[in-house]
Amino acid sequence: MKLIPSEMIAAYNAVKESAATHKFVGGWFLLCLGTCIILRSYSNLPKKVDATVWDVQWRSVAVSAVAFYLWAVGSGMVTEYPWLNMESWLASALAALFGILAPLVVPGAPPDE
């Protein structure tokens, strides 16, 4: 199960050093988190013609958002916002545990109609 879109990891890693020199790491994190939610929502939209936003597997989107948060905080770069902070070792441990338990939360792929 892919928890975080690989495009988000690549984009986050490509710009995080530049964001750090411009003191925009927290903003960059929030922008990437929002983009992660949008990408996962779009990728989980069923392929039927009349699909709406209500047809998205929102549990899968939430799992991706939490996984991205734990991954980014575990890297130790997000320090601008006190409400986002936790120890890097704790975020890494929670990310590992979350990766193991996430399949229990996310439903299987819906059948294509």
Side-chain angles (χ1 to χ4, degrees):
M1 171 196 289
K2 184 168 112 173
L3 297 180
I4 306 170
S6 57
E7 300 84 4
M8 289 318 312
I9 293 174
Y12 185 82
N13 283 330
V15 180
K16 72 179 178 181
E17 296 300 325
S18 177
T21 46
H22 293 88
K23 297 188 183 347
F24 189 66
V25 174
W28 179 240
F29 165 75
L30 293 175
L31 183 66
C32 285
L33 180 63
T35 306
C36 178
I37 291 169
I38 291 169
L39 284 174
R40 182 58 74 192
S41 299
Y42 181 75
S43 69
N44 284 339
L45 192 62
K47 293 181 173 81
K48 61 184 181 179
V49 177
D50 58 344
T52 66
V53 71
W54 303 111
D55 296 323
V56 172
Q57 292 181 358
W58 288 108
R59 280 189 287 176
S60 178
V61 174
V63 164
S64 287
V66 170
F68 181 79
Y69 167 77
L70 291 173
W71 175 81
V73 172
S75 72
M77 287 292 293
V78 182
T79 58
E80 286 184 17
Y81 303 118
W83 50 273
L84 284 176
N85 290 340
M86 77 170 63
E87 299 281 335
S88 292
W89 69 268
L90 179 59
S92 298
L94 288 174
L97 182 63
F98 191 71
I100 293 169
L101 298 177
L104 300 174
V105 176
V106 177
D112 290 335
E113 295 178 10

